[in-house]
Amino acid sequence: MKIIKVQNNEEAGLKAAEIFKKEIKNNPKCVLGLATGSTPKTTYKHLIKFHKHNDLDFSDVKTFNLDEYYPIKKENIQSYHYFMHIKLFDHINVKPENVNIIDGECDDYQKSCDDFEKMIEENPIDIQLLGIGSNGHIAFNEPNTPFTQKTHLVQLTESTINDNARFFDHHEEIPLHALTMGLATIMKAKKIVLIATGKNKANAVKHMIQGDKTPLCPASILQDHSDCTIIVDEEAAELIEE
Ligand code: F6R
């Protein structure tokens, strides 16, 4: 794992956006794996800036998102579909047919998961952006998810539901399930960039980098990835031993 230490989320976002820019410049037809949540907002802000300054063309890029709540309508402002359009896709020239977000409205979730996994097999992800949950989850792979898991339905844990409560007006609106790339799906990405910022990520970061490799901390599987960069701010890096 390559560790890049930065001061705060703003700087982390710029670093990650620069890595993504380099990837897209090297291969304009590359396949991006994208994340939602608070962490990647600054990354998307910088990617939009690069695009607006005529310096980054997304016209041949394909994207796959890590996850989506289930069930949820695309137009629900809490859906990850909505988030991605507002925070990134509406501001760049990615083609709608090149955007892949798992369908949170489907009846047959197993079919959606299998189709999504197959699409990724056919379009291998060149670079995957990740955040990390305070319990060590990546995408919605909660603690105890087998490392071999592909795209699947998950029941969200109490810890994740509470972490996500800040995005919802009423607690009962928070979805209890999600569809997510599995850990095996994520590990197939050729390159991974994980951003961790803020004090509440410090324990998870310590375990991911220096703890045992165990499904108790799903992010610890990244220790086995051959090209994984962790961008970490001062607060999230607090418990890392030098
Ligand atoms: C989002 C995702 C999640 C988040 C994680 C951190 O697509 O897959 O694993 O990356 O929950 O969320 P934030 O960034 O809101 O702290």
Side-chain angles (χ1 to χ4, degrees):
M1 279 174 168
K2 179 177 170 201
I3 316 290
I4 299 180
K5 288 194 183 169
V6 295
Q7 283 195 328
N8 49 38
N9 181 271
E10 183 61 38
E11 213 186 308
L14 180 58
K15 273 265 175 300
E18 280 166 350
I19 296 171
F20 270 67
K21 178 177 167 181
K22 195 169 163 204
E23 187 76 26
I24 297 166
K25 291 265 184 201
N26 283 344
N27 174 13
K29 292 188 170 181
C30 69
V31 180
L32 307 180
L34 300 175
T36 57
S38 340
T39 309
K41 286 183 190 170
T42 49
T43 307
Y44 297 151
K45 184 182 82 181
H46 287 292
L47 286 176
I48 292 167
K49 259 193 211 158
F50 295 153
H51 172 68
K52 299 255 189 248
H53 291 131
N54 286 332
D55 205 17
L56 200 53
D57 177 19
F58 291 84
S59 59
D60 284 327
V61 162
K62 283 190 182 148
T63 71
F64 285 89
N65 259 80
L66 285 170
D67 43 19
E68 176 59 288
Y69 287 121
Y70 183 78
I72 199 158
K73 295 257 182 238
K74 288 190 183 70
E75 60 272 17
N76 185 321
I77 59 168
Q78 303 300 347
S79 77
Y80 287 174
H81 189 275
Y82 188 88
F83 175 101
M84 285 310 299
H85 281 83
I86 295 294
K87 298 291 177 202
L88 182 65
F89 299 147
D90 288 354
H91 312 282
I92 59 174
N93 63 336
V94 66
K95 294 189 180 113
E97 63 270 30
N98 285 344
V99 166
N100 298 281
I101 303 177
I102 194 159
D103 183 6
E105 298 187 23
C106 61
D107 294 327
D108 186 349
Y109 66 80
Q110 192 54 53
K111 183 175 181 315
S112 286
C113 290
D114 293 345
D115 289 350
F116 195 72
E117 188 73 29
K118 192 159 171 274
M119 279 288 285
I120 295 174
E121 269 160 29
E122 287 163 4
N123 300 276
I125 293 173
D126 291 297
I127 183 165
Q128 175 68 57
L129 183 63
L130 294 177
I132 183 170
S134 59
N135 63 1
H137 74 221
I138 47 176
F140 272 129
N141 295 284
E142 301 285 15
N144 288 320
T145 304
F147 283 170
T148 50
Q149 190 81 62
K150 294 186 174 179
T151 303
H152 63 294
L153 174 83
V154 285
Q155 180 157 9
L156 303 182
T157 61
E158 204 52 43
S159 144
T160 298
I161 291 168
N162 290 335
D163 280 355
N164 289 352
R166 67 191 191 278
F167 300 117
F168 293 84
D169 291 336
H170 305 287
H171 202 269
E172 60 279 8
E173 288 170 12
I174 310 168
L176 304 180
H177 293 86
L179 303 173
T180 181
M181 280 188 205
L183 294 168
T185 323
I186 293 170
M187 286 296 279
K188 278 190 282 187
K190 291 176 203 158
K191 212 176 267 182
I192 291 180
V193 177
L194 182 146
I195 304 175
T197 55
K199 234 184 181 35
N200 66 328
K201 304 293 171 71
N203 268 312
V205 165
K206 158 102 181 123
H207 192 151
M208 165 175 66
I209 299 172
Q210 294 175 330
D212 292 341
K213 208 176 16 157
T214 156
L216 291 175
C217 175
S220 64
I221 194 178
L222 299 174
Q223 292 172 18
D224 274 350
H225 198 280
S226 58
D227 190 348
C228 178
T229 300
I230 311 287
I231 303 175
V232 67
D233 78 350
E234 283 171 2
E235 288 187 342
E238 214 168 70
L239 302 175
I240 301 175
E241 283 162 32
E242 295 300 330

